[in-house]
Every structure is written in structure tokens, then in C-alpha cells.
Amino acid sequence: MKHAKNIKVLVVEDNFMNKILIKEMLTLNGYEVLEASTGKEAVDTAGKERPDIVFMDIHLPEVDGFEATRLIKG
């Protein structure tokens, strides 16, 4: 099992306060946190960084969370 410090988490959230809260909770527990604010940005970041976990908002600008998840999984 990986330790939290070896786990990369992509947080996809367009609400600034929600993103800060999630990022803070994960960082305090030792996770490496990547951020994206749009579905397109999430797909690009996931392709480059290969996160272990993705927290995906559903209502996003450009590409919604469902489509972004489908593209990331593909």
C-alpha cells in the first residue's frame, strides 16, 4: 500500500472555497495535490501528471465532470 505522501490527487473544482478546503484537508494528511478548475484543464493535467485519485466536480465550465471523467478514463 502506498503512503499518503506517495499518492497524487487531482482536485477538479471551480468553486474557489471548496477547492481550498479539499486541498487543505488532503495536504495536511500528506497527499500531493494537483488542481484544475475546468474539465478541459482536468483532462490535460490528468494526462500529464497521471494522478492516483481524482475528485471531480460535476458542474464545470467548458467540459462537464461526466465528460471529463470519460475522457480521463479513456
Side-chain angles (χ1 to χ4, degrees), residues 10-14 19 34-39 41-43 45 60:
L10 173 57
V11 176
V12 187
E13 175 61 65
D14 61 338
K19 189 181 339 180
L34 307 167
E35 300 178 51
S37 296
T38 69
E41 187 180 345
V43 172
T45 301
L60 295 166

Side-chain angles (χ1 to χ4, degrees), residues 36-56:
S37 296
T38 69
K40 181 180 180 333
E41 187 180 345
V43 172
D44 293 343
T45 301
K48 292 176 198 165
E49 298 290 336
R50 309 297 290 177
D52 298 293
I53 300 169
V54 178
F55 282 107
M56 179 72 71

Side-chain angles (χ1 to χ4, degrees), residues 6-35:
N6 297 327
I7 297 177
K8 200 181 294 189
V9 180
L10 173 57
V11 176
V12 187
E13 175 61 65
D14 61 338
N15 180 288
F16 178 75
M17 291 307 295
N18 290 346
K19 189 181 339 180
I20 293 297
L21 176 64
I22 295 167
K23 181 180 176 184
E24 196 66 30
M25 288 177 10
L26 292 169
T27 302
L28 287 173
N29 284 286
Y31 294 92
E32 179 184 345
V33 179
L34 307 167
E35 300 178 51

